[in-house]
Amino acid sequence: MPIAIPAGTTVDIKDGVITVKGKLGELSQKFYDHVILEVEGAEIQVKPNEAVAEAGSKHGLYRALIANMVKGVSEGFETVQEFVGVGYKAEAKGQILEMALGFSHNIFMEMPEEIKIETINERGKNPILKMRSHDKQLLGQVAAKIRSMREPEPYKGKGIKFEGEVLRRKAGKSAGK
């Protein structure tokens, strides 16, 4: 399945490295001889190299990575996380995220410059953290790191969860006889 290249996006393939430039940034990815990349008009063709034994398994991986690169530099990606719990807070100060997660101290996390952060704190609602970037891999890695600081627990659902995530809840203790 070919990957469409949107207007304003350029693709350059040189020495085993594909570079995609767009309005939101630039991304590069090294690829090996498992796949053959061809730019035909406004499409990128990713074909398996039949001479390599692992070509079939790597073909889908490289196609997905390149498709994410093209989408990232043209449209970008966004993740939304919700802080559920009494006293849980998130506040963005430039590229530094300050979180109060029920520990004896606040947690400060410096964000990479590729990620833009925004926090929404409304009275009576859970704090929300929105992160935007053109790099899907980096965005997912940072979001997973933030979530790992206080994963949602199964009884009350307290913790950091992704928007729309359905948690598996447990019943808890039942009353005595």
Side-chain angles (χ1 to χ4, degrees), residues 37-84:
L37 301 179
E38 298 170 355
V39 178
E40 299 171 357
E43 291 183 335
I44 303 171
Q45 288 283 348
V46 183
K47 299 176 184 173
N49 186 353
E50 300 300 331
V52 180
E54 298 174 336
S57 63
K58 303 292 186 195
H59 173 251
L61 168 72
Y62 282 113
R63 193 223 169 269
L65 290 175
I66 295 167
N68 285 337
M69 290 169 58
V70 170
K71 183 179 177 191
V73 297
S74 60
E75 300 171 28
F77 295 99
E78 178 181 83
T79 63
V80 180
Q81 291 179 314
E82 187 177 353
F83 289 66
V84 181

Side-chain angles (χ1 to χ4, degrees), residues 10 15 20 28 85 106 109 113 118 130 142 151 162 169:
T10 59
D15 301 326
V20 183
S28 294
N106 288 353
M109 186 173 179
E113 67 240 8
E118 173 190 354
K130 288 187 179 184
V142 170
E151 289 188 18
F162 291 102
R169 303 291 293 268

